[in-house]
Amino acid sequence: FGVLSVTDVFLDMIIEAEGRIVQISSLDGIWASSHSYSWSKFALEGISDTWRRGLKEKNVSVSVVQPGFVKTNMCYAAHCAESPMVTSVAIEDA
């Protein structure tokens, strides 16, 4: 799990600087639905909550950014593109 590995490498420096850990998750991580993308984001949310509680006494803050749903190929495959919660963005063909 890359998030754990990278954070572990820098954790002493973050604590020394009384810094901040910022995680990029997704609104899909708020609940564990039926696909692996959601599971991994849900796990990231849990790890972040644990770090937030454990590092508070060391003056380290933990933030999670949860971008909303965007019409992408992954969204179409998951049949979520029809939802009013999904935002359209211009995606150029490669």
Side-chain angles (χ1 to χ4, degrees):
F1 199 37
V3 171
L4 292 173
S5 299
V6 172
T7 303
D8 188 51
V9 168
F10 292 100
L11 190 55
D12 289 338
M13 289 184 274
I14 295 169
I15 291 170
E16 184 179 326
E18 296 184 351
R20 174 184 299 257
I21 297 171
V22 179
Q23 307 287 11
I24 307 300
S25 182
S26 170
L27 284 178
D28 208 21
I30 295 173
W31 56 88
S33 62
S34 62
H35 50 88
S36 58
Y37 177 81
S38 174
W39 302 338
S40 65
K41 297 304 181 182
F42 187 73
L44 183 62
E45 298 280 339
I47 290 165
S48 299
D49 285 345
T50 301
W51 282 336
R52 186 177 299 112
R53 289 183 182 100
L55 295 170
K56 184 177 182 178
E57 65 187 34
K58 297 182 186 291
N59 295 317
V60 173
S61 60
V62 179
S63 299
V64 179
V65 178
Q66 299 167 320
F69 300 107
V70 177
K71 288 183 183 178
T72 63
N73 290 339
M74 184 176 77
C75 183
Y76 283 108
H79 306 288
C80 69
E82 298 81 24
S83 170
M85 293 177 57
V86 177
T87 302
S88 294
V89 295
I91 301 175
E92 296 179 23
D93 292 333

